[in-house]
Amino acid sequence: MSQQTSPDQPAGQQLRGPLQARSQDVPGIIDLANRVFRPAPRPGDMGREFPALLSPSNAENLLIFRDGERLVSHVGILRQKMHTCGLALPAACIGSVCTDPDYRGMGMAGRLMDEAIRLATEAGDLIMPISGDRRLYASRAAVGIGPQVRLNVTPEAAAAAAVEGYEVRVCEPADWPVLVELSRGDAIRYEWTDRDRISFERFLELGGICLLANRAGRPAAAMLVCINHPTYGPNTSTDQGRVMQFLGEPRAAGTLAGCAISGRRLAGLEWRVLATAWPTVVGDLLAAGATGKAEVTGWTVRILNLEGLIEQVAPLAGRAGVELAAEGASLRVAVGDRCFVVDRP
């Protein structure tokens, strides 16, 4: 077994990687992630907050560098199915990309990303959503997802957007099947599994709340809200909540927002809404008096297999009168007598 780097031994003398982690490596990965993403005095624990990604059961998808026995760099992959327009696209989500501050500038994160891209492509994943918009990702052909609108929903705006006929209650862990069913109505969604149920339960344990709106005795919509939740960092003020997820009927958004505000006696809610996914929600809340600011999301995405993605999407696009084709290093898009060619990054 390699020895721990000593104080007299320069960092990087026993570097090994990229390596697939073992289950016994996960506590060390979590410790590294906490030192990078949750430095004192910020509270939080990455392992508790992201139990699906940083878990022994997902160890084979965690890529690392070691210096001796010390874990010094990490890239995590969480395999998902992204559903949209009746398609189920295999995706390799990237998260918790971090390097020990003493080892930065040595190219390890880049080599781990390249290995993650190689493994995901070989596994048949078509797209790679990435949590972050760093140069590390842009240099590997990742582009931004967006746009999104950062809404500030005041109590008055929520009240003006509220719709009668909904009965609202607090969700419990046992309501998980209800949330899964509501999620299936989203235009773009990940397939929720038991590991997502564990993440939901952890969200509640760490102080998050989930409200469920019933209409005519049936579940209609749900909203997940947090206040200074460790996963998402401190809010602008301690009496400002954040909407983390919304499911179901768009017209229920104002009612659920109002119940969250009144139930926790909040000054308002901050809500970063992907405008392309929830245009009705954004429009209704802005019309009711909420304020909004357009911004770029913190997510990027890399296409791993353009030909494979086109094969999946082309029949759907064809029914809408759009022709897609890969031409060498470019994507050809034809609509009627108009044609566009987009070069790959």
Side-chain angles (χ1 to χ4, degrees), residues 9-289:
Q9 186 177 22
Q13 291 301 297
Q14 299 185 60
L15 280 180
R16 290 184 293 134
L19 303 170
Q20 285 184 303
R22 307 160 299 179
S23 59
Q24 57 264 41
D25 292 321
V26 174
I29 294 172
I30 293 172
D31 178 69
L32 171 63
N34 283 339
R35 285 187 281 115
V36 173
F37 296 113
R38 301 291 183 267
R42 176 175 176 173
D45 179 85
M46 293 285 287
R48 291 192 68 201
E49 297 163 37
F50 299 97
L53 176 67
L54 302 177
S55 70
S57 63
N58 194 48
E60 67 179 5
N61 294 312
L62 307 180
L63 305 177
I64 57 174
F65 259 93
R66 299 178 182 278
D67 188 2
E69 290 304 306
R70 182 179 179 182
L71 291 169
V72 297
S73 191
H74 169 257
V75 167
I77 307 169
L78 187 65
R79 292 203 151 78
Q80 304 257 46
K81 282 290 183 68
M82 180 179 287
H83 291 255
T84 183
C85 300
L87 303 175
L89 306 176
C93 299
I94 297 294
S96 192
V97 177
C98 54
T99 299
D100 187 304
D102 293 336
Y103 290 78
R104 291 175 184 169
M106 302 173 69
M108 286 182 288
R111 290 178 61 187
L112 290 176
M113 278 297 305
D114 292 338
E115 180 68 0
I117 291 168
R118 184 185 72 80
L119 291 174
T121 303
E122 288 184 353
D125 295 312
L126 297 178
I127 55 177
M128 177 173 278
I130 305 173
S131 176
D133 56 358
R134 296 159 54 183
R135 180 180 177 184
L136 172 68
Y137 314 136
S139 65
R140 286 161 175 81
V143 296
I145 298 175
Q148 70 178 9
V149 178
R150 183 175 181 176
L151 292 173
N152 177 33
V153 185
T154 63
E156 295 77 15
V163 176
E164 294 183 358
Y166 290 106
E167 297 180 355
V168 179
R169 66 173 177 84
V170 176
C171 273
E172 304 293 340
D175 291 309
W176 174 249
V178 175
L179 300 182
V180 172
E181 190 61 34
L182 286 173
S183 76
R184 290 177 178 148
D186 283 1
I188 303 173
R189 66 179 177 88
Y190 290 121
E191 183 177 297
W192 286 6
T193 64
D194 279 346
R195 68 184 184 188
D196 301 288
R197 174 184 56 79
I198 295 170
S199 297
F200 171 65
E201 293 174 356
R202 194 62 52 81
F203 175 82
L204 299 181
E205 291 171 5
L206 293 171
I209 60 172
C210 180
L211 298 177
L212 177 67
N214 290 303
R215 187 178 183 87
R218 299 177 61 86
M223 181 178 285
L224 277 70
V225 177
C226 67
I227 308 164
N228 288 329
H229 194 281
T231 303
Y232 309 105
N235 296 338
T236 306
S237 61
T238 56
D239 60 353
Q240 185 86 3
R242 286 184 181 176
V243 178
M244 303 316 305
Q245 193 157 15
F246 176 75
L247 309 166
E249 297 179 5
R251 63 200 307 265
T255 301
L256 285 168
C259 289
I261 291 171
S262 61
R264 291 299 180 99
R265 298 181 180 179
L266 301 173
L269 291 176
E270 177 187 287
W271 189 354
R272 290 177 170 89
V273 189
L274 194 62
T276 52
W278 293 109
T280 303
V281 169
V282 173
D284 288 351
L285 288 172
L286 289 175

